[in-house]
Every structure is written in structure tokens, then in C-alpha cells.
Amino acid sequence: MNKLTDREQNLDAAIGATKDFQDSLNRLQDPPKLNDLEEQLEDQRPLLADAEGVCEQLCDILSDSASKTEIKNKLNGVEKQYNNLNRKMSNKKAELESALKEDKDFYLSFDRISNG
């Protein structure tokens, strides 16, 4: 009988700790915050498009090929940074969504075991 009582106490303690853990993960892995960052990055896209247009105009005006190359390289550097940030953000979002799903699955399984 003591083993059953001990097991019940351990399960009760684990339930509380699991709920606290889940709450902490939910606060850390808040997809709306990540969505806000995605929106902020997407808001920069029109500025990048404007820079591309100005770059083309400037290259049409300039006759010096070295200057044209320098300007295009600067624009390419900014485009790479934008694309890298976008890719990293998408990867991180996928990782967080996967981790959140795994955590919810674990919590539901644990909840079924403790209530079953």
C-alpha cells in the first residue's frame, strides 16, 4: 500500500511540475512574437525593392564599371542578409512549432496516464 501512496504522490508532484514546465515553454515559444518579427522583416521588403530600383537607375547613369560593380555588390550583400534572416526565421518558426507540438503531445500523454 505504501508503494501505491508513494506512486500517487510522485504522480501528483509530476503533474504540477509538468504544468509549470508547459507554461514556461508556452511563454518561451510564443509564435505571435515570432510572427511579429516575421511581419517586421516583411515590412522591409518594399524598402529592399526600392533599393533595387535605385541601384538600377544609378547603374544606368554611371559609366564606370567599377562603381557599378561596387553598388551591385552592396545591394547583393543587403539582399543576402535579408534572405538569410528570412530563412533563419522560417527555420526557427518550424523548430518552435515542432517543439511545441511535441511538448503538447507529451503533456496530453502524461495527463492521460495520470488521470487514467
Side-chain angles (χ1 to χ4, degrees), residues 9-98:
Q9 289 174 348
N10 287 340
L11 283 173
D12 288 342
I15 289 170
T18 300
K19 287 180 182 178
D20 292 344
F21 177 70
Q22 185 65 37
D23 291 343
S24 295
L25 286 177
N26 286 339
R27 284 191 302 273
L28 285 172
Q29 300 171 346
D30 191 4
K33 289 180 184 176
L34 188 57
N35 289 338
D36 290 344
L37 290 174
E38 280 182 315
E39 286 177 18
Q40 289 177 14
L41 184 61
E42 193 56 36
D43 289 344
Q44 299 303 307
R45 186 69 185 130
L47 298 173
L48 185 56
D50 289 344
E52 290 170 348
V54 172
C55 178
E56 286 179 27
Q57 289 175 349
L58 188 55
C59 286
D60 289 342
I61 294 169
L62 294 173
S63 59
D64 179 24
S65 63
S67 296
K68 289 180 182 183
T69 301
E70 181 182 351
I71 292 167
K72 287 179 182 179
N73 287 340
K74 285 182 182 182
L75 179 62
N76 286 338
V78 172
E79 286 175 333
K80 283 182 184 179
Q81 286 178 336
Y82 176 87
N83 291 333
N84 284 338
L85 280 172
N86 202 10
R87 180 181 43 80
K88 287 178 182 179
M89 188 119 24
S90 294
N91 290 344
K92 185 54 73 177
K93 185 176 181 181
E95 287 175 22
L96 289 174
E97 287 173 350
S98 176

